[in-house]
């Protein structure tokens, strides 16, 4: 059943947000109390006042033995809020049949969703690679597949403007598993094995970024003036390869005629002292981004990074037992769409 009309035609400001909820689940895990997560995360979501919200790492599970997988943890978080009535798009597993048990992408929208799809090697086939340190070493190259899809929704936005929203969660720079090289407690047996695993993780992140960029190009091929936002956890900073790949700066292409296809990082308008969404061992880094097309940039007003309560993702878990926090700060951008007529 479609959600009711909740007044989207009267929107004077458009707020697009992204938030990594870090393994959101209502089942017992690691001593984390779900009620505590609700108490912490619900106010964070309400403060965003988002009209379109991109979420990462939302778990799903069947409530009965043979029932479908449901996002019951997310349902509990948004219960009683405006988001409960929003239209919802959820990524599917590799077979495209149901949501994955872990780390789904979700787009919540105040506005009707005209169409949606996910991409998982639809534009970029998995590269083939034969590991050199794996034990035993494979006889043939293996396919290096991405861990997660890319989620794309076309939204019927304010005043009838079509909005393209792309939700991404790129591979973290953590070494991928290699047979015979990684033991218990996450310990690697050799530096070379770890290095090759780290190389494979980099390939996955680069491949996801390439697929996202090719999706952006396909949208701009069909709609050169598209209102487009790529949001999510890029697991990379502004000048690192995955962000550069999706953004497509003139300095990288060397071609001024491609300037209309450059995406713009909105956090650049946030003061440098506040420009961080993760604290990693004391180092403040901006890993969560909202990149927009030039037409959507024309509507742009301001961006916010809600990092006031952010803990250190390495230090805090070791010192706080069962913390309900997420160690990613939400990011929100506000726009002023032109009125119809």
């Amino acid at each position: 059943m479609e959600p009711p009309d909740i007044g989207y035609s009267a929107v004077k400001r458009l707020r697009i947000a992204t938030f990594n909820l870090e393994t959101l689940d209502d089942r017992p895990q690691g001593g984390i109390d779900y009620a505590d997560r609700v108490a912490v995360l619900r106010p964070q979501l309400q403060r965003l006042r988002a009209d379109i919200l991109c979420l990462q790492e939302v778990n799903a599970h069947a409530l009965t033995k043979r029932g479908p997988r449901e996002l019951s943890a997310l349902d509990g978080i948004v219960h009683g809020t405006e988001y409960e009535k929003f239209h919802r798009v959820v990524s599917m597993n590799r077979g495209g049949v149901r949501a994955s048990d872990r780390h789904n992408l979700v787009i919540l929208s105040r506005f009707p969703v005209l169409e949606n799809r996910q991409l998982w090697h639809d534009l970029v086939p998995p590269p083939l690679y034969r590991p050199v340190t794996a034990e035993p070493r494979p006889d043939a190259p293996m396919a290096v597949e991405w861990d997660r899809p890319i989620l794309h929704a076309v939204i019927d936005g304010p005043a009838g403007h079509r909005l393209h929203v792309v939700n991404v969660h790129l591979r973290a720079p953590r070494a991928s598993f290699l047979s015979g090289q990684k033991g218990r407690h996450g310990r690697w047996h050799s530096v070379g094995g770890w290095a090759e695993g780290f190389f494979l993780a980099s390939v996955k992140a680069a491949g996801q970024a390439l697929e996202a960029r090719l999706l952006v190009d396909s949208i701009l091929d069909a709609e050169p003036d598209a209102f487009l936002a790529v949001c999510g956890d890029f697991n990379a900073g502004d000048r690192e390869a995955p962000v550069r790949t999706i953004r497509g700066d003139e300095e990288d292409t060397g071609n001024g005629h491609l300037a209309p296809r450059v995406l713009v990082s909105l956090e650049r308008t946030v003061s440098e002292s506040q420009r961080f969404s993760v604290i990693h061992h004391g180092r403040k880094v901006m890993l969560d981004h909202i990149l927009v097309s030039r037409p959507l940039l024309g509507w742009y007003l301001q961006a916010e990074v809600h990092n006031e309560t952010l803990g250190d993702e390495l230090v805090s878990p070791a010192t706080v037992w069962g913390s309900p926090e997420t160690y990613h700060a939400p990011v929100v951008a506000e726009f002023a769409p032109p009125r119809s007529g």
Side-chain angles (χ1 to χ4, degrees), residues 224-283:
D225 297 324
F227 299 97
L228 185 154
V230 181
C231 313
D233 178 2
F234 289 61
N235 270 308
D238 180 69
R239 293 306 303 165
E240 293 183 86
V243 179
R244 288 174 58 187
T245 298
I246 297 175
R247 202 169 52 217
D249 289 345
E250 292 175 75
E251 291 83 356
D252 288 323
T253 66
N255 186 347
H257 291 298
L258 297 177
R261 288 178 172 249
V262 173
L263 301 185
V264 181
S265 300
L266 296 184
E267 78 266 8
R268 290 181 175 181
T269 65
V270 176
S271 66
E272 189 171 353
S273 64
Q274 297 299 311
R275 199 183 305 159
F276 64 94
S277 63
V278 170
I279 303 175
H280 184 84
H281 213 180
R283 186 168 64 95

Side-chain angles (χ1 to χ4, degrees), residues 125-131 140-145 200 203:
L128 299 178
Y129 178 75
R130 186 185 176 203
M142 65 179 192
V144 182
E145 297 183 339
L200 289 173
V203 170

Side-chain angles (χ1 to χ4, degrees), residues 217-230:
D217 281 346
S218 69
I219 294 170
L220 295 178
D221 286 342
E223 301 176 44
D225 297 324
F227 299 97
L228 185 154
V230 181

Side-chain angles (χ1 to χ4, degrees), residues 119-160:
L119 292 89
W120 206 339
H121 296 295
D122 292 80
L123 301 179
V124 180
L128 299 178
Y129 178 75
R130 186 185 176 203
V132 297
T133 65
E135 297 178 0
R137 189 184 185 194
D139 294 329
M142 65 179 192
V144 182
E145 297 183 339
W146 323 152
D147 300 314
R148 287 173 288 268
I150 296 165
L151 191 60
H152 171 214
V154 183
I155 293 170
D156 185 11

Side-chain angles (χ1 to χ4, degrees), residues 167-334:
N167 189 358
V168 301
H169 185 187
L170 304 188
R171 169 78 190 201
R174 298 191 187 97
S176 296
F177 176 81
L178 276 175
S179 176
Q181 281 292 344
K182 191 171 184 180
R184 298 178 62 188
H185 309 298
R187 295 173 181 170
W188 289 85
H189 298 318
S190 70
V191 175
W194 166 83
E196 188 168 30
F198 189 74
F199 160 74
L200 289 173
S202 301
V203 170
K204 291 182 178 186
Q208 284 181 284
L210 173 60
E211 187 150 41
R213 181 65 230 190
L214 295 182
L215 169 61
V216 168
D217 281 346
S218 69
I219 294 170
L220 295 178
D221 286 342
E223 301 176 44
D225 297 324
F227 299 97
L228 185 154
V230 181
C231 313
D233 178 2
F234 289 61
N235 270 308
D238 180 69
R239 293 306 303 165
E240 293 183 86
V243 179
R244 288 174 58 187
T245 298
I246 297 175
R247 202 169 52 217
D249 289 345
E250 292 175 75
E251 291 83 356
D252 288 323
T253 66
N255 186 347
H257 291 298
L258 297 177
R261 288 178 172 249
V262 173
L263 301 185
V264 181
S265 300
L266 296 184
E267 78 266 8
R268 290 181 175 181
T269 65
V270 176
S271 66
E272 189 171 353
S273 64
Q274 297 299 311
R275 199 183 305 159
F276 64 94
S277 63
V278 170
I279 303 175
H280 184 84
H281 213 180
R283 186 168 64 95
K284 297 178 178 180
V285 290
M286 191 75 196
L287 302 184
D288 303 84
H289 306 274
I290 299 177
L291 312 181
V292 301
S293 62
R294 296 300 180 102
L296 187 52
L297 182 66
W299 297 2
Y300 178 60
L301 294 175
Q302 62 181 349
E304 306 163 9
V305 186
H306 297 175
N307 51 26
E308 297 87 350
T309 63
L310 200 59
D312 191 306
E313 67 172 352
L314 289 185
V315 176
S316 297
T319 59
V320 181
W321 186 81
S323 173
E325 302 277 4
T326 171
Y327 296 107
H328 281 255
V331 181
V332 59
E334 186 171 82

